[in-house]
């Protein structure tokens, strides 16, 4: 089958031929309708988990998928042939990912039945970003009427987080880069700040002179940048980063700091699918890219400019 893989850590991703997976005991063989692209896919291909988990090469990239079960291995009870499912490819070894025509998924992996109200492929845009957004909202514990500054609101996690927060009547200030304000407004943002055209701190202070109740920073790669953004939170508020698991130093006194890590689950995916079917969560797709062109889409994700989610179609 065709798949997009790297031959070694940090190698350039390529469309290659790899053996078809089979439905081993406890696993479901899925014909992939689409894989969802996440920054973590190329971070893993760069060696982010080297020494943490075993890897197989050529390393087929990708975690998020949606597709149809075409075979089930011995002992599988949760799913049957023909089921339309979506989720994250789990497994002990990394490298048998979703950027492929078929994927083998453990029935214990974070997988659920796909939402029925959208094309099956679109569900591949939900798992990592949707679960991250839902769990960030719980972790930051923002309540109705409170203010939430989301930096990086235009990307995968940010577009879901904006919607989920707005649905709780949280007032979302969406910080984006160089994009249409109407788009974030349609997703529920109360205020959109284009950080390429406006000073973020000044724009936030205009709205909230004492600071916002909560910050979700999806972009700061250094503790210094995160600390500067956390200074926009008032005393007693919360500042969360999706990029540092360790306690990010130098956040202002009186601000609770959270280094967030997503914990995937099939139950949470089922909840997200319900939210989609109830019309409460839109899947905001920027691009649908044929598998052979996935290397260019990966390069684009690396260089920035995400506006919603990118799907890879085998
Ligand atoms: N800890 C966890 O468990 C976890 C889980 C999921 C994701 N993450 C991480 O969270 C981050 C976000 O993920 P994602 O899937 O949403 O990524 P994404 O789809 O690439 O979105 C990132 C967005 O942030 C925007 N951005 C970058 N700098 C900005 C700035 N200064 N002001 C405003 N917007 C800015 C980007 O726009 P431009 O490119 O135009 O700047 C892009 O729209 C990634 O680093 C990812 O690895 C962590």
């Amino acid at each position: 089958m065709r798949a997009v893989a790297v031959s070694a850590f940090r190698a350039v991703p390529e469309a290659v031929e790899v053996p078809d997976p089979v439905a081993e005991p406890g696993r479901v063989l899925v014909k992939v309708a689409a894989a969802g692209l996440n920054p973590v896919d190329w971070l893993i291909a760069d060696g982010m988990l080297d020494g943490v988990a075993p890897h197989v090469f050529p390393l087929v990239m990708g975690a998020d998928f949606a597709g149809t079960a075409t075979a089930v291995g011995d002992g599988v009870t949760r799913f049957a042939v023909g089921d339309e499912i979506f989720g994250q490819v789990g497994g002990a070894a990394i490298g048998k990912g979703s950027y492929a025509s078929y994927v083998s998924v453990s029935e214990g992996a974070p997988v659920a039945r796909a939402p029925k109200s959208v094309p099956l492929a679109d569900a591949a845009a939900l798992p990592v970003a949707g679960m991250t957004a839902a769990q960030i909202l719980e972790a930051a514990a923002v309540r109705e009427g409170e203010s939430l500054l989301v930096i990086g609101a235009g990307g995968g996690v940010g577009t879901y987080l904006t919607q989920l927060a707005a649905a709780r009547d949280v007032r979302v200030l969406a910080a984006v880069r160089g994009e249409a304000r109407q788009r974030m407004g349609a997703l529920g943002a109360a205020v959109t700040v284009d950080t390429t055209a406006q000073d973020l701190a000044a724009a936030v202070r205009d709205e909230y002179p004492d600071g916002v109740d909560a910050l979700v920073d999806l972009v700061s790669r250094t503790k210094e940048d995160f600390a500067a953004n956390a200074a926009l939170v008032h005393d007693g508020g919360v500042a969360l980063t999706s990029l540092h698991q360790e306690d990010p130093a130098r956040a202002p006194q009186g601000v609770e700091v959270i280094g967030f890590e997503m914990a995937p689950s099939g139950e949470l995916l089922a909840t997200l699918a319900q939210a989609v079917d109830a019309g409460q969560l839109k899947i905001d797709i920027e691009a649908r890219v044929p598998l052979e062109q996935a290397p260019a889409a990966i390069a684009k994700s690396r260089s920035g400019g995400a506006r919603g989610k990118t799907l890879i179609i085998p």
Side-chain angles (χ1 to χ4, degrees):
M1 68 171 179
R2 298 298 282 170
V4 171
V6 290
S7 56
F9 289 132
R10 290 173 290 285
V12 176
E14 291 176 310
V16 293
E17 198 66 25
V18 296
D20 284 2
V22 294
E24 291 160 344
R27 301 185 76 87
V28 181
L29 185 65
V30 179
K31 183 173 181 356
V32 176
L37 190 157
N38 291 285
V40 73
D41 300 341
W42 47 262
L43 289 167
I44 288 173
D46 284 352
M48 183 180 91
L49 298 178
D50 190 13
V52 177
H55 293 65
V56 290
F57 291 92
L59 183 151
V60 176
M61 296 174 65
D64 286 357
F65 74 91
T68 307
T70 55
V72 294
D74 287 348
V76 169
T77 56
R78 274 182 72 204
F79 300 110
V81 170
D83 284 352
E84 295 189 335
I85 59 179
F86 77 118
Q88 262 190 296
V89 179
I94 295 172
K96 298 190 171 179
S98 59
Y99 294 6
S101 304
Y102 287 87
V103 75
S104 159
V105 185
S106 165
E107 80 161 340
V111 176
R113 286 191 163 65
K116 296 192 184 321
S117 58
V118 294
L120 177 58
D122 292 16
L126 270 175
V128 168
M131 288 193 286
T132 300
Q135 289 182 346
I136 281 178
L137 201 52
E138 296 307 322
V142 256
R143 290 182 295 270
E144 183 181 340
E146 291 186 335
S147 52
L148 169 66
L149 171 61
V150 181
I151 306 181
V157 175
T159 48
Y160 291 125
L161 179 58
T162 298
Q163 294 181 70
L164 294 171
R168 290 189 182 185
D169 290 326
V170 170
R171 193 161 186 272
V172 178
L173 285 74
V176 298
R177 271 219 287 226
E179 63 176 289
R181 282 152 202 271
Q182 301 89 305
R183 178 172 161 261
M184 294 313 300
L187 296 173
V191 177
T192 302
V193 180
D194 176 0
T195 61
T196 64
Q198 290 167 272
D199 179 66
L200 176 63
V204 172
R205 295 279 178 213
D206 267 0
E207 290 278 332
Y208 292 96
D210 297 331
V212 290
D213 295 308
L215 160 73
V216 171
D217 186 338
L218 300 169
V219 307
S220 291
R221 300 210 169 266
T222 68
K223 293 181 177 186
E224 291 72 20
D225 287 350
F226 174 71
N229 291 331
L232 300 172
V233 178
H234 66 65
D235 197 356
V238 56
L240 180 149
T241 166
S242 68
L243 276 84
H244 311 279
Q245 274 71 62
E246 290 118 54
D247 182 32
R250 279 180 278 191
Q253 288 283 327
V255 172
E256 182 195 351
V257 169
I258 299 172
F260 175 81
E261 185 69 30
M262 191 265 282
S265 86
E267 292 75 22
L268 181 51
L269 286 172
T271 305
L272 291 170
Q274 280 166 13
V276 170
D277 283 338
Q280 294 158 352
L281 192 62
K282 281 184 230 159
I283 300 175
D284 189 30
I285 294 178
E286 175 188 12
R288 297 167 198 273
V289 177
L291 187 79
E292 300 294 320
Q293 289 167 26
I298 296 161
K300 181 169 180 290
S301 171
R302 276 182 190 279
S303 61
R307 304 288 176 264
K309 296 291 301 178
T310 292
L311 294 181
I312 294 164
I313 313 289

